[in-house]
């Protein structure tokens, strides 16, 4: 039997991938376009929310078909049933979002508000652990809890603005970040 040690690279044989952050003209252009797109999205948050739900629905539908088809191809494998079940569930969820984007928007807004409330409560509780950075956790937890309650107390009206607002703000932040610091790029090691 051949020695396996000779075929397995050791830590001395591997060189870590090195990266550097630099900004190119493409980063500036893409960052600027992202900021502009974020402004447009913030100007039309309800439409952006509905488009996002449709996009999510189609992605779920496509993913469900691929996972279900994979489960059918691997029917002799032990985990094929779970793949089929997950595929069918994703197809049903995707069809629900595509056929009724308004209801999908309501459901995701309710879920987001609930997650914000739970996250805020957990951060506030974590602030009282020994050695925890109490001030920042209380501030973060209070803001998160407040945002969650704002979303939930204004539900279902908050469904019209929440997803589009989050998307617009994220596009602007990503664009500014790309313009200011660029992206990580691999560096050739001599």
């Amino acid at each position: 039997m051949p020695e396996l040690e000779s075929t397995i690279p050791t830590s001395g044989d591997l060189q870590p991938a090195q990266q550097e952050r630099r900004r190119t003209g493409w980063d500036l252009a893409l960052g600027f376009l992202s900021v502009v797109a974020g402004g447009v999205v913030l100007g039309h948050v309800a439409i952006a929310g509905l488009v996002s739900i449709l996009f999510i629905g189609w992605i779920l539908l496509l993913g469900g078909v691929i996972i279900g088809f994979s489960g059918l191809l691997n029917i002799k494998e032990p985990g094929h049933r779970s793949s089929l079940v997950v595929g069918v569930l994703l197809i049903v969820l995707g069809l629900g979002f595509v056929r009724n984007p308004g209801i999908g928007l309501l459901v995701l807004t309710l879920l987001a508000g609930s997650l914000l409330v739970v996250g805020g409560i957990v951060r506030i509780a974590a602030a009282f652990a020994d050695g925890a950075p109490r001030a920042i956790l209380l501030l973060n937890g209070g803001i998160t809890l407040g945002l969650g309650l704002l979303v939930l107390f204004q539900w279902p009206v908050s469904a019209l603005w929440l997803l589009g607002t989050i998307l617009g703000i994220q596009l602007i932040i990503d664009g500014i970040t790309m313009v200011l610091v660029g992206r990580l790029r691999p560096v050739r090691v001599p």
Side-chain angles (χ1 to χ4, degrees):
M1 190 164 146
E3 290 282 323
L4 290 177
E5 292 178 12
S6 63
T7 60
I8 299 174
T10 62
S11 62
D13 297 337
L14 300 176
Q15 292 198 4
Q18 294 184 0
Q19 297 182 340
E20 71 177 1
R21 185 169 295 279
R22 23 174 220 184
R23 187 177 57 203
T24 65
W26 283 108
D27 294 329
L28 293 174
L30 290 174
F32 177 73
L33 287 175
S34 182
V35 170
V36 170
V40 170
V41 167
L42 285 176
H44 306 284
V45 290
I47 294 171
L50 284 175
V51 169
S52 298
I53 290 295
L54 288 171
F55 179 75
I56 291 169
W58 282 108
I59 293 295
L60 288 171
L61 193 58
L62 180 64
V65 168
I66 291 171
I67 291 172
F69 188 66
S70 170
L72 286 175
L73 287 178
N74 299 321
I75 201 149
K76 294 182 181 179
E77 298 293 324
H80 81 281
R81 288 186 183 136
S82 62
S83 292
L84 289 173
V85 169
V86 169
V88 168
L89 289 175
L90 288 176
I91 289 170
V92 168
L93 187 60
L95 282 174
F97 279 11
V98 169
R99 290 180 52 98
N100 300 312
I103 292 174
L105 196 59
L106 289 171
V107 169
L108 285 184
T109 302
L110 191 60
L111 180 64
S114 301
L115 288 173
L116 286 169
V117 167
V118 170
I121 291 171
V122 167
R123 286 182 181 96
I124 289 171
F128 295 103
D130 290 335
R134 186 162 290 146
I136 193 68
L137 282 175
L138 284 173
L139 179 66
N140 188 329
I143 291 171
T144 305
L145 178 63
L147 286 172
L149 291 174
L150 175 73
V151 168
L152 290 179
F153 286 148
Q154 290 188 357
W155 190 83
V157 175
S158 60
L160 295 174
W161 57 264
L162 179 70
L163 199 58
T165 302
I166 291 172
L167 178 64
I169 291 171
Q170 187 63 45
L171 282 169
I172 290 172
I173 290 171
D174 285 346
I176 291 172
T177 302
M178 195 176 296
V179 165
L180 293 178
V181 295
R183 292 178 288 165
L184 284 174
R185 305 205 188 305
V187 177
R188 292 187 186 205
V189 179

